[in-house]
Amino acid sequence: MSTMPAWPAAAKRALAAGFQWLELHFAHGYLAQSFFSPIANQRTDQYGGSAENRGRFLLETMQAVREVWPEHLPLTARFGVVEYDGYDDSFYPEAVALVRKMRDGGLDLIDASIGFSTISGKTPWGPGFFVPVAGRVKQDTQMPVAASWCIDNPKMAEQAVAEGRMDLVLIARAHLANPHYAYQIAVELGEEKPAGVLPVSYGYWLSRYRGPGKGVAQ
Ligand SMILES: Cc1cc2nc3c(=O)[nH]c(=O)nc-3n(C[C@H](O)[C@H](O)[C@H](O)COP(=O)(O)O)c2cc1C
């Protein structure tokens, strides 16, 4: 089996469409993660068995995409480094070893996440529960790390970056719940020009607004 040509073909289409950042979805029980999972992957060829074999599909795919994705544009991957199924003591080191290989092959950032490859996973949901895992990945790979999962408190997000546990905090549901979340965070964190996080035209108008009944600054 050779790496699926569909991945680099998709990367080329993304480039032609104007995307400037490509993230490979190697996580959450989807195809690539299921190759890496010792539970999902029951193959007996060179793509199954040892950690090296289970990682082969991901590494080859990443390399094939890197070849067509310009060097100056970021190529990142989302990948589950833990399963919370009781076997992370052996799974995590294998996962991190693969991340190091991807880093050496030109991956610019790892978006660390959960494998979700087994129904016996017991994720310890709660505010910021994944921050320590991200910090461990950062320490073990010495490369740029991003992560998400219940980091919707701006102070917690800022602390995670300040402590060097991750380089980028990804926030999903808080943005669904509140479309003005980016602006609200900027205000809460004391940004000098909070409207600067918005598209220029919105920011321009919002920065002139003085609140209900107070009109706009001239
Ligand atoms: C409606 C919805 C759809 C999602 N779809 C995907 C997806 O397709 N791929 C993915 O990697 N994560 C997906 N996620 C997970 C988010 O990327 C994110 O990791 C998760 O919501 C945790 O971050 P949060 O606590 O800030 O929401 C989805 C989340 C939501 C709420």
Side-chain angles (χ1 to χ4, degrees), residues 21 23 30 34 74 104 122 180 192 194 213:
W21 178 331
E23 176 144 303
Y30 291 117
S34 70
D104 295 345
K122 290 192 170 51
H180 309 294
E192 204 177 312

Side-chain angles (χ1 to χ4, degrees), residues 68-133:
V68 301
W69 188 250
E71 206 50 51
H72 71 280
L73 295 180
L75 176 63
T76 69
R78 191 165 214 197
F79 178 47
V81 296
V82 286
E83 291 280 8
Y84 295 112
D85 61 350
Y87 295 98
D88 283 337
D89 283 352
S90 56
F91 181 77
Y92 173 83
E94 292 180 349
V96 150
L98 177 60
V99 173
R100 283 195 215 102
K101 284 187 198 167
M102 292 198 271
R103 173 201 64 194
D104 295 345
L107 191 75
D108 294 309
L109 169 146
I110 185 73
D111 175 359
S113 193
I114 304 164
F116 293 129
S117 295
T118 163
I119 51 166
S120 43
K122 290 192 170 51
T123 305
W125 304 113
F129 75 92
F130 201 75
V131 174
V133 180

